[in-house]
Amino acid sequence: MTQAAPPSATPAPPPLLRVRDLHVHFPIRAGVLQRIVGHVRAVDGVSFDIARGETLGLVGESGCGKTTVGRSILRLIPPTSGHVVFDGQDVLSAYGAREKAIRRQMQIIFQDPASSLNPRMRVVNILGEPLQVHGLVKDRAELREKVETLLVRCGMPKAAADRYPHEFSGGQRQRIGIARALALGPRFVVCDEPTSALDVSIQAQIINLLMDLQSEFGLSYLFISHDMAVIQQVCRRIAVMYRGKVVEAGDRERILVAPEHRYTQSLLSAVPVPDPSRHRRRVVFEGGAM
């Protein structure tokens, strides 16, 4: 009697975003003629995947290249080399209508809500501009309705549509920035340190809002932060950056419990412990070898 073959495992779906060997180098110029004398390797061979509905945390100290990674994925900063594939489409080679369609699906929440919102525009125009550019509204009444819906969903009153950014607190401005990122119905959002410029109590509210929106709309996040405590709260997988490279990546539990790289150990040892009776041994990373 022949035995039935075991059922084959269902193959894992392809990632929504795939980044391979991403490099971003900035030229160093000197002299009267401003000749290029070298390059700053801000991003030096970064690779990672982000699945549908997943949050990948990108963590590291200031200046390690985190923000440059996020902006180069969206082509806000031109990459020097590498590959970025979003839902099977090559992002870096897309132009014209195809580039516009991809941009609609990939958005960003900036770190500083004060500088990322045009101070001369009312909120209704800030949120309505992308809707008009992409032809998603037929008239002013429909634009107004969609803007008010976005504001309410992000915890703001409808009346905020007629006000200017300077009339709001930092947390309220960040909610407006989140509403702008959601305006086009994206599937992937770069969260570039969205809570670092806010008070601690407001940080928790913004994080809860982002997690609720992810659950409701099935969003994928690249969550950039220098705060390991925030990263471990919102991310299922963590990638640790140092000097333009990812030195360690893996599931949250593995990174937090058994970090392999000494730089990761140093970051974790710097997280404050809310218990004065407990003492955590501080790991000092001197740099040097990766």
Side-chain angles (χ1 to χ4, degrees):
M1 180 178 179
T2 59
Q3 293 184 344
S8 58
T10 303
L16 179 66
L17 180 74
R18 175 167 291 174
V19 178
R20 288 292 180 271
D21 201 26
L22 185 68
H23 292 76
V24 183
H25 300 167
F26 297 110
I28 301 173
R29 299 180 182 272
V32 176
L33 300 179
Q34 290 293 289
R35 290 193 175 95
I36 296 176
V37 297
H39 288 84
V40 175
R41 297 175 177 267
V43 178
D44 198 18
V46 168
S47 300
F48 57 81
D49 294 338
I50 299 180
R52 288 164 172 79
E54 180 188 30
T55 300
L56 173 67
L58 190 60
V59 63
E61 62 191 15
S62 297
C64 71
K66 308 183 302 295
T67 292
T68 305
V69 168
R71 297 191 179 194
S72 61
I73 288 172
L74 303 180
R75 290 176 58 179
L76 299 179
I77 296 175
T80 304
S81 63
H83 301 278
V84 178
V85 178
F86 176 78
D87 198 19
Q89 302 180 76
D90 189 341
V91 175
L92 303 186
S93 66
Y95 290 94
R98 190 159 66 94
E99 179 187 8
K100 186 176 180 180
I102 292 176
R103 283 189 179 278
R104 178 179 169 183
Q105 299 295 324
M106 304 172 71
Q107 294 294 309
I108 184 170
I109 301 168
F110 293 98
Q111 176 179 358
D112 184 6
S115 62
S116 64
L117 301 176
N118 190 329
R120 297 179 180 274
M121 295 175 65
R122 296 181 189 272
V123 171
V124 65
N125 297 321
I126 292 174
L127 301 189
E129 186 175 46
L131 295 171
Q132 293 174 313
V133 169
H134 287 265
L136 300 182
V137 290
K138 293 178 293 186
D139 52 39
R140 193 71 183 174
E142 184 180 4
L143 182 145
R144 178 80 185 198
E145 180 183 356
K146 288 194 174 185
V147 166
E148 290 179 348
T149 300
L150 285 167
L151 288 171
V152 171
R153 181 60 192 87
C154 292
M156 296 291 290
K158 293 182 179 181
D162 295 316
R163 297 163 65 184
Y164 290 94
H166 72 270
E167 300 180 63
F168 299 98
S169 67
Q172 290 174 324
R173 284 196 290 259
Q174 193 60 290
R175 289 177 184 271
I176 295 170
I178 293 171
R180 179 178 58 184
L182 292 179
L184 300 178
R187 289 185 289 163
F188 170 71
V189 179
V190 174
C191 303
D192 184 12
E193 303 205 43
T195 62
S196 64
L198 307 176
D199 294 338
V200 174
S201 59
I202 306 301
Q203 288 183 14
Q205 297 177 19
I206 296 300
I207 288 173
N208 290 335
L209 173 61
L210 290 171
M211 296 177 72
D212 289 344
L213 293 171
Q214 181 178 44
S215 177
E216 181 176 347
F217 299 111
L219 299 171
S220 298
Y221 290 148
L222 174 62
F223 197 99
I224 298 170
S225 179
H226 65 271
D227 189 338
M228 186 63 87
V230 173
I231 287 288
Q232 68 186 39
Q233 180 181 351
V234 302
C235 305
R236 289 189 298 176
R237 287 194 305 118
I238 299 173
V240 182
M241 276 194 74
Y242 177 69
R243 290 187 179 178
K245 297 179 180 290
V246 173
V247 296
E248 186 169 5
D251 292 337
R252 174 178 57 193
E253 288 72 19
R254 204 275 298 165
I255 295 290
L256 297 180
V257 174
E260 298 175 356
H261 198 278
R262 190 164 180 82
Y263 179 67
T264 310
Q265 297 168 7
S266 177
L267 287 178
L268 288 171
S269 72
V271 177
V273 179
D275 185 349
S277 64
R278 290 178 57 193
H279 297 280
R280 173 178 288 172
R281 185 176 67 87
R282 185 75 170 89
V283 177
V284 178
F285 180 68
E286 299 294 345
M290 303 294 284

